[in-house]
Amino acid sequence: MTDTPLTDRIAAELDLGVPKGARVVVAMSGGVDSSVTAALVHRAGYDAVGITLQLYDHGAAIQKKGACCAGQDIHDARRVSEALGIPHYVLDYEDRFGEQVMEEFTDTYLAGATPIPCVRCNERVKFKDLLETARDLGAVAMATGHYIRRTDDEDGLALRRAADAGKDQSYFLFSTTKEQLGFLRFPLGDLPKSVTRELATELGLVVADKPDSQDICFVPEGKYASVVERLRPGASRPGEIVYIDGTVLGRHMGVIHYTVGQRRGLDIGGLAEPVYVVRLDAERAQVIVGPKSALDVAGVTLDEVNWLGDDSAADIPVRVKVRSTRPPEPATVRIEGRRATVTFDEPQEGVAPGQACVFYATDETDDRVLGGGWIRQTVRVPLAEAS
């Protein structure tokens, strides 16, 4: 049994693939994961530099003067950096975050699709603008607190699911390019979240007991519609709730209040069986509903595809995730440039435009991330076949 602290044992085994003493920028959100990442990078002998991004005005997001949750995160990141003895900088990315993430989030909802702004933030801000800033600061790598693994062996660079399946964030990082992967490092990819908490406690970090964020950062309490209405006043319009056969069942106050697969909150009475939101038609301001079987989807078409595999031959067998919380399911993908067609082996339920479809390899572990794309259209299973 050793008396060596757990932090030192793990840090001693941390090899970022760059010389010890080299500068490594750590993206620090103010949470426990990125704080422990900074500590491990520093303890492992690298020249760690913490950077925190000011992305949005939290007070404006929740329309409450003086609210400072985002400010608290910056304060926490600064305090952790001071305790570790590493430099810390705060960069104002509010304008580009608003343009690249929040504006698209709003437009996507108004178009009747279901956005995933966390992917866009990683793609357009953290892994693009911040990565370039890290290079400008003389860094040879950038480390983040994401739960995902990066491997570099005889088969080359690869992105893989985290060892802790319950915390795996690969679904949100599918758009990471091969070039970015060469610069990025994920020290927590092999650790369970419980160990991360243990390390934070051992180090005495002020964020050791800080709860994990459950909401999109600029959408407190999951109130998507209120954010859309604030950013686009008057853009949402009321319309009809329509059964799939064309029968008008009721009225709604705007498609932004609904998501595909939703059952509760439809305020429709007198029906013989439960109905679900099957599709949103923003152009006609219609919420289309139907039986549960109408949610079945046979396949999807994608655009903005990012491929991380070794080749892109036609009809590639893969496993895919269409929701972050679902396990990968067997499918076949045909890639044509930046577009792709995915056919599921078995129908998938409640798939919606705007979501991501992420590809995984069909090996014994199913853990290699092969990329993914954005769902633009769904191919529905005929109701007769679905039933």
Side-chain angles (χ1 to χ4, degrees):
M1 186 173 180
T2 178
D3 293 330
T4 305
L6 179 62
T7 305
D8 290 337
R9 279 183 275 149
I10 293 178
E13 297 176 357
L14 181 61
D15 181 3
L16 298 182
V18 298
K20 293 297 177 71
R23 176 162 293 176
V24 176
V25 160
V26 182
M28 300 182 69
S29 67
V32 65
D33 297 327
S34 60
S35 296
V36 170
T37 296
L40 291 175
V41 171
H42 176 60
R43 290 287 186 97
Y46 301 100
D47 177 18
V49 176
I51 292 184
T52 303
L53 303 181
Q54 168 66 44
L55 297 178
Y56 67 100
D57 182 341
H58 186 81
I62 64 175
Q63 297 177 304
K64 181 178 179 182
K65 185 177 181 180
C68 59
C69 181
Q72 183 63 48
D73 289 339
I74 293 172
H75 181 59
D76 288 342
R78 182 179 293 118
R79 291 176 67 191
V80 168
S81 298
E82 290 174 352
L84 297 176
I86 66 173
H88 177 256
Y89 302 95
V90 179
L91 303 181
D92 184 357
Y93 277 31
E94 192 169 329
D95 287 345
R96 65 188 83 184
F97 181 77
E99 295 169 0
Q100 299 291 327
V101 180
M102 293 178 67
E103 293 292 332
E104 181 179 276
F105 168 88
T106 303
D107 292 339
T108 302
Y109 251 109
L110 288 171
T114 305
I116 312 176
C118 296
V119 176
R120 289 302 196 193
C121 182
N122 290 326
E123 174 188 331
R124 297 176 174 178
V125 180
K126 294 177 182 175
F127 290 177
K128 182 178 182 293
D129 295 335
L130 178 55
L131 193 145
E132 292 173 359
T133 298
R135 285 196 171 102
D136 291 341
L137 291 173
V140 296
M142 186 174 85
T144 79
H146 288 103
Y147 284 87
I148 193 168
R149 293 182 296 135
R150 170 192 182 274
T151 57
D152 189 1
D153 49 33
E154 64 274 7
D155 296 324
L157 279 175
L159 198 62
R160 300 182 183 275
R161 289 196 286 168
D164 186 341
K167 297 299 296 183
D168 174 59
Q169 292 174 291
S170 60
Y171 181 83
F172 300 100
L173 298 173
F174 79 85
S175 61
T176 305
T177 66
K178 291 182 178 180
E179 180 184 4
Q180 291 168 343
L181 191 55
F183 195 73
L184 291 165
R185 303 293 187 274
F186 309 105
L188 303 187
D190 289 310
L191 300 181
K193 180 60 180 266
S194 58
V195 171
T196 301
R197 288 282 183 191
E198 185 178 349
L199 294 174
T201 300
E202 182 179 270
L203 290 161
L205 300 182
V206 296
V207 296
D209 297 320
K210 189 173 182 178
D212 292 338
S213 175
Q214 300 297 322
D215 297 316
I216 296 170
C217 66
F218 61 92
V219 188
E221 302 175 1
K223 296 179 179 178
Y224 306 116
S226 64
V227 174
V228 174
E229 289 169 339
R230 179 179 61 82
L231 294 175
R232 295 285 192 280
S236 180
R237 57 195 174 102
E240 298 172 333
I241 299 177
V242 182
Y243 197 72
I244 53 176
D245 65 2
T247 303
V248 176
L249 301 178
R251 300 280 299 174
H252 66 78
M253 295 305 295
V255 296
I256 63 172
H257 297 281
Y258 302 86
T259 58
V260 171
Q262 178 178 338
R263 174 186 173 187
R264 298 183 183 278
L266 298 179
D267 294 326
I268 303 172
L271 299 178
E273 62 179 0
V275 295
Y276 300 77
V277 176
V278 174
R279 184 167 56 88
L280 299 171
D281 188 334
E283 187 175 345
R284 297 182 180 180
Q286 288 184 337
V287 174
I288 295 90
V289 300
K292 196 171 190 293
S293 58
L295 292 172
D296 287 343
V297 170
V300 293
T301 58
L302 313 176
D303 60 17
E304 296 185 65
V305 170
N306 180 51
W307 179 250
L308 294 172
D310 301 322
D311 57 52
S312 57
D315 298 330
I316 307 167
V318 294
R319 293 186 182 274
V320 299
K321 274 191 176 190
V322 291
R323 291 283 182 94
S324 64
T325 54
R326 294 183 185 177
E329 298 288 350
T332 301
V333 60
R334 177 184 290 265
I335 298 175
E336 299 178 359
R338 292 275 283 164
R339 297 180 178 274
T341 302
V342 178
T343 304
F344 305 130
D345 284 17
E346 297 291 338
Q348 298 296 302
E349 182 182 292
V351 183
Q355 297 173 339
C357 179
V358 181
F359 315 141
Y360 298 86
T362 57
D363 55 21
E364 64 278 5
T365 60
D366 295 336
D367 70 350
R368 184 176 178 184
V369 183
L370 297 179
W374 295 95
I375 299 173
R376 291 307 174 218
Q377 289 184 317
T378 57
V379 179
R380 300 204 168 272
V381 176
L383 282 181
E385 179 181 335
S387 58

